Amino acid sequence: MSTTVAERRTPRGRRSRQWLGYLPYLLPGLVAFTVVILIPFGMNVYYSLHKWKGGNAPMRWYGFGNYADLLHDEKFLTSFQNSIWMIVAMVVVPTLLGLILAAVLFDVLGKRFGPRTASVLRATYYLPQILPVAVAGVLWNWILNAQTGAINEVLRSLGVENPPNWLGDTTTALPTVMLVLIWIQIGYPVVIFMSALQRVDPELYEAAELDGAGWVHRFRAITIPQIKPETFVITLTCTVAALKVFGPIYVLTRGGPESSTLVPSYYSYLNFFDKSKVGYGAAIANVLTLLIILVAVAIMVLQARSARREEEGH
Amino acid sequence: MAAQTETVRVTKPAPARATDTDQRHHRGKARWFVLAAAIVVAVLMMVPFVIMVLNAFKSPQDYSQNGPLSWPSTFYTDGLTAFWDRVNFPEKLMNSIWISATVAVFGTLLSLFSAYAIGVGRVKGRMWLVTLFLLANMLPQEVLVYPLFQMANKVGLNNNQWSVIIIFTVIQSAFGTYLLASVLGTFPKALLEAAALDGAGRWRTLWGVVFPVVRPTLSVLVIFFFIWTWNEFFIPLVMLTTNATQTIPVALASLQGDRMMDAPTTNAGALVSMIPAIIFFLLFQRTLTRGVTAGAVK
């Protein structure tokens, strides 16, 4: 008896401490992570509590002054307001359009015109996603240019005397940037939703069809609930991307005209490298980070709750 | 993939019922309408590319006379050569390839090591680690950039591509670890036990047992890290301050507002700059799609 107990105890004890042997494999990642992410993040928090012109200039303790100043900074408030429009352009519209496009490609075109038609169309929608945003931005900047751009050349040849200055007018700049972002973004949900649809058991649809459910009914009763996990992932990744957006703004408008397309990340960059207000820029970046973490955690909690409810329901 | 389409094909045509004929007739017309709508969307997506190609080969005079939609009157390549020389394109191409490829290899390796400890080794606190890595991947780069810029200056890596390589190796591997750890968390126990019985240590188990099994996932990571790093803009813009070190996107963007850039040169520049991305896309289309969805399904 006693021997079996001893035999049992040793492997269990060994197993519980076995993970220690794997620590050397974790070390490079942890060291690199600390040096490149944790320490800089800590430094950024430290900077944000100071007034500092950057470089060798003296740092002056300012406490939470930078954060207090943010509350009265109209540009800062505008930039976060614009973030909501970025979410519309990068999350809401692409997800809804992407869902429709994916369902159409998978359900109608894939089945009636062959999978090849569907995959060619899918690749076409996805193409802007692989372009470096800077390249896409330069291209659109020319297309939308007031004097020499393609759109206004066409409008002039059609007899429009004063075509709009798309990116240069405070009323049109934001909607124009949003359209470009939709163009860039749309392929991502299409690809993910299409693979999600492949995962759904076709028998579900057949059963529904036998019961006489129409396409819209099947879409609502089967498709949407079945692809919920993917919808959460798209919402999470695209919302984070929309809050972080920098490249397209830098290339298309630099936040202008008159801050009409200003976003937090560009405003922070502006303070760092243009206005030499490093502490202030750091504070903006920290507020943005906090917001992103809050939004990400909220979406993850919602996802977990929805998954749990589903399990209980089954 | 093949097996999946096969099953769909087998199950699909079976339920053909007589009562459906009316409805199907109606659907026959509707499907053409749906196809037309999907093609219209595809055309809208492609228009920018098409007019770019059209105008990359026009002379400035041709462009101002005949507008952006006309066919080029002559095959004009001076815009192309002007861009090629002005940005020293081969140099930028090499910079982009070097940075992206190095990050892809190092980032994947680092992800594999960390994920091996978390997924197979089940180190303590692994849930926290994975969450930490995931959050790090979501951070806006603005929150890191100024300190990193300062640090690079201090260690003599200012305007050095290694600064960019190190930063993106870590940022990409944060995502790679998150993805790979969940894959390795379900690694077949029998394989690991067999390796242990054969007397293989952790190092040999990693390369002899784990690595061959997860190689497809690793190749997806390599391709993803390459293309993500290739497309990166913000940190290279800040870190790489001279022409000789810049990547293609930074070089192209910094040409903007240059008075010498007429419309055909702009288009030629955009065209040349997107060609590497397009070639990459065509080569790895299937892997890319697989990778996008691997990231989604976890």
Side-chain angles (χ1 to χ4, degrees):
Chain A
M1 274 303 263
S2 61
T3 47
T4 49
V5 168
E7 265 169 19
R8 242 184 235 155
R9 200 173 278 158
T10 22
R12 202 176 281 168
R14 206 184 294 149
R15 206 175 298 146
S16 68
R17 252 172 282 124
Q18 222 175 24
W19 61 274
L20 285 168
Y22 287 90
L23 278 184
Y25 294 90
L26 201 56
L27 207 61
L30 277 185
V31 170
F33 186 83
T34 308
V35 172
V36 174
I37 292 174
L38 281 186
I39 292 176
F41 185 51
M43 282 163 83
N44 200 67
V45 173
Y46 179 74
Y47 293 166
S48 75
L49 302 174
H50 292 78
K51 274 198 166 182
W52 183 33
K53 284 188 179 307
N56 293 324
M59 284 176 113
R60 206 153 51 76
W61 176 256
Y62 194 40
F64 285 97
N66 282 321
Y67 294 92
D69 291 348
L70 281 177
L71 295 176
H72 308 292
D73 183 348
E74 233 159 82
K75 282 189 171 181
F76 173 76
L77 300 174
T78 309
S79 74
F80 274 95
Q81 232 161 31
N82 287 342
S83 281
I84 296 172
W85 291 110
M86 298 297 125
I87 290 176
V88 171
M90 291 176 71
V91 188
V92 181
V93 177
T95 310
L96 292 177
L97 278 180
L99 183 58
I100 295 170
L101 285 171
V104 161
L105 285 187
F106 184 79
D107 228 32
V108 185
L109 301 182
K111 283 175 190 165
R112 320 255 152 180
F113 295 92
R116 190 148 265 198
T117 317
S119 74
V120 166
L121 285 168
R122 184 186 63 182
T124 315
Y125 301 155
Y126 194 68
L127 200 55
Q129 275 277 301
I130 53 149
L131 283 189
V133 279
V135 177
V138 168
L139 175 60
W140 276 102
N141 216 343
W142 161 69
I143 292 175
L144 295 163
N145 188 293
Q147 279 84 44
T148 59
I151 289 185
N152 283 0
E153 290 276 341
V154 171
L155 286 178
R156 269 189 222 106
S157 73
L158 291 175
V160 181
E161 273 177 33
N162 282 316
N165 184 357
W166 302 101
L167 292 171
D169 193 307
T170 47
T171 52
T172 51
L174 186 61
T176 309
V177 167
M178 286 170 69
L179 281 177
V180 174
L181 289 172
I182 293 172
W183 178 81
I184 292 177
Q185 204 62 16
I186 196 95
Y188 176 70
V190 172
V191 166
I192 293 195
F193 278 139
M194 273 191 79
S195 83
L197 289 172
Q198 268 166 9
R199 198 179 40 114
V200 179
D201 187 353
E203 278 176 24
L204 275 177
Y205 287 104
E206 269 155 35
E209 211 166 347
L210 284 173
D211 288 345
W215 190 85
V216 176
H217 197 150
R218 270 177 284 150
F219 182 73
R220 274 180 39 198
I222 303 173
T223 309
I224 291 183
Q226 286 285 323
I227 60 174
K228 226 183 215 166
E230 279 81 2
T231 314
F232 270 117
V233 170
I234 291 172
T235 313
L236 177 63
T237 50
C238 293
T239 307
V240 171
L243 291 170
K244 288 192 333 188
V245 68
F246 175 85
I249 300 295
Y250 179 92
V251 184
L252 286 174
T253 62
R254 309 232 165 169
E258 292 169 37
S259 310
S260 59
T261 59
L262 192 68
V263 291
S265 67
Y266 187 77
Y267 192 39
S268 149
Y269 168 83
L270 209 60
N271 277 290
F272 280 139
F273 298 104
D274 204 62
K275 298 181 170 176
S276 295
K277 289 169 76 177
V278 175
Y280 200 58
I284 298 167
N286 286 337
V287 173
L288 177 61
T289 306
L290 186 68
L291 183 71
I292 287 175
I293 292 177
L294 286 179
V295 169
V297 169
I299 295 177
M300 285 191 239
V301 167
L302 278 178
Q303 176 180 16
R305 198 177 292 170
S306 145
R308 211 183 309 133
R309 209 177 301 143
E310 210 134 282
E311 252 161 50
E312 282 165 7
H314 268 278
Chain B
M1 243 347 222
Q4 250 174 357
T5 45
E6 213 55 49
T7 51
V8 170
R9 228 172 264 152
V10 170
T11 49
K12 214 51 255 184
R17 282 164 303 124
T19 44
D20 258 6
T21 34
D22 276 357
Q23 207 186 339
R24 226 188 284 137
H25 204 71
H26 175 72
R27 234 189 261 150
K29 266 179 210 152
R31 67 178 179 171
W32 289 105
F33 179 75
V34 170
L35 180 68
I39 289 176
V40 167
V41 176
V43 168
L44 284 176
M45 298 298 287
M46 292 303 288
V47 164
F49 296 109
V50 174
I51 56 170
M52 173 193 61
V53 175
L54 216 53
N55 290 286
F57 300 105
K58 271 180 201 168
S59 69
Q61 295 82 346
D62 188 1
Y63 178 74
S64 59
Q65 264 169 28
N66 302 321
L69 296 186
S70 69
W71 197 253
S73 56
T74 52
F75 190 68
Y76 176 87
T77 54
D78 286 10
L80 214 62
T81 45
F83 174 79
W84 191 277
D85 295 339
R86 179 110 41 87
V87 305
N88 192 354
F89 191 76
E91 182 187 58
K92 304 296 174 297
L93 183 67
M94 283 314 296
N95 289 345
S96 275
I97 292 176
W98 158 245
I99 291 175
S100 311
T102 317
V103 168
V105 173
F106 286 166
T108 307
L109 204 62
L110 200 60
S111 308
L112 178 62
F113 281 152
S114 305
Y116 183 52
I118 294 172
V120 174
R122 311 218 148 244
V123 295
K124 264 203 173 141
R126 56 184 177 279
M127 278 297 292
W128 286 104
L129 279 174
V130 170
T131 311
L132 199 66
F133 283 130
L134 188 62
L135 286 176
N137 198 253
M138 289 179 181
L139 285 183
Q141 292 171 0
E142 285 75 13
V143 88
L144 308 174
V145 77
Y146 207 87
L148 286 172
F149 180 69
Q150 293 279 112
M151 285 160 81
N153 278 338
K154 275 213 182 94
V155 295
L157 284 179
N158 52 325
N159 192 30
N160 187 315
Q161 292 163 353
W162 277 105
S163 62
V164 177
I165 291 173
I166 293 169
I167 293 167
F168 283 120
T169 296
V170 178
I171 292 180
Q172 313 291 34
S173 76
F175 175 81
T177 306
Y178 160 72
L179 183 73
L180 213 50
S182 68
V183 173
L184 289 180
T186 59
F187 196 84
K189 286 255 152 36
L191 281 178
L192 295 171
E193 275 157 18
L197 279 179
D198 285 346
R202 292 183 195 90
W203 181 254
R204 266 189 50 207
T205 307
L206 172 59
W207 294 110
V209 180
V210 176
F211 177 74
V213 173
V214 295
R215 204 147 65 182
T217 314
L218 293 181
S219 66
V220 170
L221 279 188
V222 169
I223 290 164
F224 256 62
F225 291 173
F226 185 94
I227 209 152
W228 286 345
T229 312
W230 186 282
N231 290 355
E232 275 296 341
F233 181 67
F234 180 62
I235 282 187
L237 174 79
V238 172
M239 293 289 183
L240 306 174
T241 44
T242 61
N243 265 321
T245 54
Q246 278 169 359
T247 57
I248 292 175
V250 178
L252 185 68
S254 58
L255 264 190
Q256 270 211 321
D258 187 338
R259 303 251 156 168
M260 300 291 286
M261 282 276 273
D262 49 65
T265 310
T266 306
N267 281 292
L271 178 64
V272 173
S273 303
M274 75 192 309
I275 284 174
I278 304 277
I279 291 175
F280 213 77
F281 176 62
L282 293 176
L283 281 178
F284 296 108
Q285 219 225 93
R286 220 168 265 174
T287 327
L288 279 177
T289 335
R290 196 161 14 111
V292 173
T293 48
V297 178
K298 281 203 280 188

